[in-house]
Each structure stands twice: as C-alpha cells, then as structure tokens.
Amino acid sequence: MIELMMVLLLMTVIISICGSFMYKSLQFKEERVFKQQLSQDLLDAQLTALTSGEYVTLYFYPHTSHYYISKGSGSKEKYIAKRELPDSIEILDTTTLPSFKFLPSGSTNTFGALRFLVNGDPYTVHYYLGKGRFYIAEGS
C-alpha cells in the first residue's frame, strides 16, 4: 500500500510540473500566432490594395478586441476578414491608429502606433506614412 501511495505521489508531482510547462507553452504559442497573423493581415491588406487598385481599410476595436479588414469605400465597401482576439490579447485604448487605409498605390493615408497587451506584455506596431512600412516592437 505504501508503494502505491509513493507512485501516486510521484505521478502527481510529474503531472503538476508538466502542467505548468504546458501553460507557458500555450501562452508563447498564442503570442507567436498573434504576431504572425497580424503581420500577415497587414501585408495581405497592402497587397490587396495594390492588386485590386482599391482602398483597403483596417479597423481596430479596443473594447470588443477584434479588427476588420475591408476593401473599397462608401457603399461598395465589403469585408475581407474579421479577426477575434483571444482573451489574453488586448488592444489598448492608447492606440493612436484605430483605423487606417492602404491606398491603391500600397501607401498608407496616415501613421501611428497600434498598442496591444499580449499575456500582460506590451507590444506596439509602428506604422509609417508612405510605402506601408511597419514593424512590431516588444515593449511600449
């Protein structure tokens, strides 16, 4: 009986250690997937504007944690993509760029920063006027 209790204790310790590693691994994966998805969406939006010759607009909604990508303008605007962000990712209200457009030339109509919290860590996407250049920086 004592041997059985020792085996159960050992298994409990191993499972608890593995559980904490799995949680951290899932957080890291979620962070990596978010950054890759956002980068890919920005590049796809720019490419869509270049190839279609139409405006492509990105809308970021901090309170509902999602963003939209739409093509065209006015009554002919149609949504290309909608991304819901996981609970661990938050768009901050200090974002200076809640929406912006890619012009048919691939440039942007404005510049600024998108600020996110990913698992409690700040990330900023800096966007520059002209040619649609951006980069993602860890920290604020």
Side-chain angles (χ1 to χ4, degrees), residues 2-138:
I2 292 175
E3 289 177 12
L4 180 62
M5 294 297 281
M6 293 299 287
V7 169
L8 288 176
L9 177 66
L10 183 63
M11 292 298 290
T12 304
V13 169
I14 290 172
I15 289 172
S16 65
I17 291 172
C18 290
S20 66
F21 284 124
M22 290 292 291
Y23 180 73
K24 289 181 183 182
S25 174
L26 287 174
Q27 282 183 326
F28 177 74
K29 180 183 176 195
E30 199 170 70
E31 177 181 324
R32 191 180 77 230
V33 167
F34 165 71
K35 290 191 305 187
Q36 288 175 344
Q37 181 68 57
L38 182 62
S39 295
Q40 191 62 47
D41 283 344
L42 291 170
L43 291 171
D44 287 346
Q46 186 178 28
L47 183 63
T48 301
L50 282 166
T51 57
S52 70
E54 294 184 83
Y55 290 98
V56 175
T57 308
L58 286 92
Y59 301 99
F60 292 87
Y61 297 99
H63 299 293
T64 56
S65 291
H66 70 276
Y67 63 94
Y68 288 104
I69 304 170
S70 66
K71 183 169 89 168
S73 59
S75 64
K76 294 184 180 185
E77 184 176 42
K78 61 180 179 180
Y79 289 108
I80 299 172
K82 176 187 177 186
R83 302 283 186 234
E84 298 285 337
L85 301 178
D87 292 336
S88 63
I89 298 170
E90 175 185 355
I91 303 171
L92 297 177
D93 288 333
T94 57
T95 291
T96 60
L97 200 59
S99 69
F100 66 94
K101 290 183 185 211
F102 282 107
L103 307 174
S105 64
S107 299
T108 57
N109 69 337
T110 189
F111 63 93
L114 299 165
R115 290 186 173 83
F116 298 91
L117 273 182
V118 181
N119 295 320
D121 297 327
Y123 281 88
T124 305
V125 180
H126 297 278
Y127 229 89
Y128 296 107
L129 188 61
K131 304 212 178 178
R133 293 179 299 223
F134 71 93
Y135 72 93
I136 299 175
E138 193 169 338

